[in-house]
Amino acid sequence: MNFETSTIGLASDHTGFGLKEVIKKYLEKRGLKYTDFGACSTERSDYTDFAHLLGKAIESHELEAGIALCGTGNGMAITLNKYPSIRAGLAWSAEISGLVSGHNKANILIIPARYVTEEEALKIVEAYLDTPFEGGRHLTRIEKILSA
């Protein structure tokens, strides 16, 4: 995925809102474009509402990739992985995030907002954006996922 030329979709619930705002500033600093699907505040909201907006944008090829946040990340991951063309990977460290990109070619990175600091979240995003897909045996596994 070439993040330099594509727009990254962002989605969070109220729990992930603060980190999403930090990530937006990081993306801007890197000169990357994004579309923010919400949430727009820390007022209580349902992650599903924003996950579906991001999921539909990727499913329709409006966007190629995204970053989503909620408390544990599991709600976003479960919701987004219902879409056939989405491989959403949950990462709570930069190392795992690199594997989400390098091995799983995930088109959505999920971050558990309650369990990472701002500094950790930015390292997670950086690893996701900067780790290329390795292909090889990992491509074979992705093909098996897609053929199910």
Side-chain angles (χ1 to χ4, degrees):
M1 220 167 307
N2 185 352
F3 294 107
E4 303 301 319
T5 60
S6 58
T7 300
I8 300 166
L10 300 175
S12 75
D13 64 359
H14 60 286
T15 308
F17 172 75
L19 275 182
K20 181 171 57 83
E21 294 303 299
V22 170
I23 291 167
K24 284 165 55 172
K25 290 178 186 169
Y26 173 78
L27 295 175
E28 290 168 1
K29 185 176 174 183
R30 282 188 61 158
L32 301 176
K33 297 179 284 188
Y34 62 83
T35 298
D36 186 349
F37 291 100
C40 299
S41 74
T42 57
E43 184 177 330
R44 195 197 81 64
S45 60
D46 295 327
Y47 60 82
T48 50
D49 297 338
F50 309 108
H52 284 306
L53 293 173
L54 175 58
K56 289 174 184 174
I58 290 181
E59 191 73 13
S60 70
H61 305 288
E62 176 187 334
L63 299 175
E64 290 182 49
I67 299 170
L69 306 96
C70 69
T72 65
N74 287 306
M76 282 287 190
I78 291 166
T79 305
L80 287 161
N81 278 314
K82 289 182 67 77
Y83 290 85
S85 65
I86 290 178
R87 286 176 314 285
L90 176 61
W92 54 91
S93 72
E95 180 181 7
I96 292 169
S97 182
L99 295 172
V100 163
S101 281
H103 289 190
N104 304 119
K105 198 178 181 183
N107 51 5
I108 298 182
L109 170 66
I110 309 290
I111 300 174
R114 285 191 178 132
Y115 298 95
V116 298
T117 65
E118 287 183 11
E119 182 181 346
E120 289 169 328
L122 294 179
K123 287 179 182 178
I124 291 166
V125 171
E126 180 178 43
Y128 175 70
L129 297 175
D130 293 345
T131 304
F133 178 59
E134 294 177 19
R137 72 182 193 275
H138 306 295
L139 179 58
T140 302
R141 293 171 183 158
I142 289 171
E143 289 169 346
K144 287 179 179 182
I145 291 168
L146 296 174
S147 69

